Amino acid sequence: MAGTKNRKQSSGHVGQPEIGRRSLMGGMSALVGAGMAGGSLGRASSASAATHSPGGTKIHTRFLEFDDPVEEFEAHFRIERDLVEDQGTALTWFYWLLYLVPGDRPPIPLLRYEGMEYSYFRKVADHTYRIRAHNISVPLSLETNDYMESMVNPLTEKRIATPTSLILNDPGTIQSPKGFRNVTGDGTYVEPYRQFRIENDLLKLDSTRTAPPDWPVNHIESSIQQVPYEMFLDKSNTSLPATSTGLYVFPYSKWLEMGDRPGHLLGYWDARKIPSPQDFPDKFLAKLEKDYPELLKPRWSEFDRPAGFAY
């Protein structure tokens, strides 16, 4: 996946010169943003003004390209995190639905998760950030919409425990306009797919990333994030209030007790970036304060672990 993408011609340009695109993908999550400083944003904003239509039912859409990889990186970072000068955090709350995909029969809705991703990051060089995050996903029954501790596996017909999903050991990444590098990797830049687009009064970002080293090779994450376009144009807003939808594809989890059965899991999420844990729904916040209070704050000590390469 590393390497430079070919420059392309986009039919979505309106009064704007052709602009090359570089890919960059942010840490987990789930999944990007930021301010466009300099000349090409001026061209983009003036060009879009002629086609941008916040009202009515007619769809006006075009792809947004960047000729400066730094501007594209900052745009990505503002949406997904916060374009800080030192260090900062970004917190996301989400629901996601989990499906069994057996392969020999239709996919089966299994359960719902309610969860959060807490991302924390530190600027380590010009336009370069080291990023770490942890995730909590608490299972809910599709029948009762309440938290649950067990269920019957619809394929094996066995009762199984449904543990809270904790992702605490993602090693994190180093991100810059050149791409991202997994902290435990060899320093190779990875450039997953990414495309900005304008849709009426919204700025949207389509992006895809693969798993860190040592994760299952068939894991993939793809998302569509969106923010109000006029808010995106305000470069003083370093952290945009993005919402997102997206999906994961990944192997069966051990707690499902699937044995050698063929198939995989699919997760579909609906997420919102929020300012602080106090903005969580009351019931979810109360559960985390009771069961995982230590995860309601950044784990800055994770940055004490050395990376596998110099940056």
Side-chain angles (χ1 to χ4, degrees):
M1 288 173 43
T4 302
K5 292 187 176 177
N6 294 330
R7 301 177 73 87
K8 67 182 178 71
Q9 187 78 28
S10 171
S11 60
H13 287 104
V14 180
Q16 181 179 341
E18 178 189 3
I19 302 174
R21 171 162 62 97
R22 288 178 183 266
S23 294
L24 161 80
M25 185 61 204
M28 169 109 174
S29 23
L31 307 48
V32 4
M36 303 179 146
S40 57
L41 175 57
R43 291 193 293 274
S45 59
S46 62
S48 64
T51 60
H52 182 64
S53 176
T57 58
K58 178 70 173 177
I59 299 297
H60 298 268
T61 182
R62 69 184 184 87
F63 296 110
L64 180 62
E65 305 287 327
F66 297 79
D67 53 5
D68 183 350
V70 172
E71 292 177 6
E72 186 175 30
F73 170 78
E74 292 179 346
H76 192 150
F77 215 81
R78 283 175 65 214
I79 294 173
E80 190 168 75
R81 293 183 172 83
D82 189 348
L83 196 64
V84 292
E85 284 300 318
D86 183 16
Q87 66 181 28
T89 63
L91 185 62
T92 303
W93 169 87
F94 51 78
Y95 276 134
W96 59 290
L97 294 172
L98 184 65
Y99 299 84
L100 291 172
V101 185
D104 58 352
R105 66 187 72 185
I108 303 170
L110 188 66
L111 55 80
R112 178 189 299 273
Y113 282 109
E114 183 176 16
M116 69 105 172
E117 176 178 285
Y118 214 144
S119 174
Y120 24 102
F121 35 91
R122 183 172 291 163
K123 193 172 185 179
V124 294
D126 287 345
H127 313 299
T128 303
Y129 292 82
R130 182 170 178 175
I131 301 167
R132 187 68 167 76
H134 60 262
N135 295 60
I136 304 174
S137 294
V138 183
L140 293 89
S141 165
L142 294 181
E143 286 74 31
T144 66
N145 291 318
D146 203 356
Y147 299 129
M148 65 178 187
E149 297 182 354
S150 68
M151 67 176 297
V152 174
N153 183 320
L155 288 179
T156 66
E157 299 183 347
K158 295 180 180 178
R159 179 159 290 278
I160 55 174
T162 53
T164 294
S165 174
L166 300 175
I167 301 178
L168 305 178
N169 297 314
D170 185 336
T173 61
I174 309 294
Q175 294 186 21
S176 75
K178 294 181 180 180
F180 77 86
R181 294 177 286 174
N182 288 295
V183 168
T184 55
D186 60 4
T188 300
Y189 286 99
V190 182
E191 299 181 276
Y193 175 78
R194 180 180 64 183
Q195 178 66 64
F196 292 86
R197 54 190 171 90
I198 298 170
E199 183 180 302
N200 286 19
D201 59 342
L202 297 173
L203 185 284
K204 295 191 175 185
L205 175 62
D206 307 325
S207 55
T208 299
R209 80 177 185 107
T210 53
D214 303 324
W215 283 31
V217 295
N218 61 341
H219 179 285
I220 195 169
E221 174 185 342
S222 183
S223 67
I224 301 174
Q225 302 185 74
Q226 66 179 39
V227 296
Y229 182 62
E230 295 302 325
M231 187 175 291
F232 173 77
L233 292 177
D234 179 3
K235 294 179 290 184
S236 68
N237 191 337
T238 61
S239 178
L240 295 164
T243 59
S244 67
T245 59
L247 61 84
Y248 301 109
V249 176
F250 55 109
Y252 286 140
S253 300
K254 290 183 179 180
W255 59 266
L256 285 166
E257 300 180 8
M258 297 296 285
D260 295 329
R261 289 174 177 264
H264 60 271
L265 295 172
L266 184 147
Y268 181 79
W269 84 77
D270 175 20
R272 177 181 297 269
K273 190 163 76 171
I274 58 176
S276 78
Q278 296 306 311
D279 296 298
F280 286 140
D282 290 341
K283 186 175 180 180
F284 181 62
L285 177 60
K287 184 167 184 62
L288 295 191
E289 288 177 333
K290 175 178 178 292
D291 296 342
Y292 304 100
E294 72 282 3
L295 298 182
L296 287 171
K297 56 187 177 181
R299 303 165 72 206
W300 291 111
S301 61
E302 294 295 326
F303 287 92
D304 296 336
R305 299 184 183 186
F309 51 88
Y311 57 86

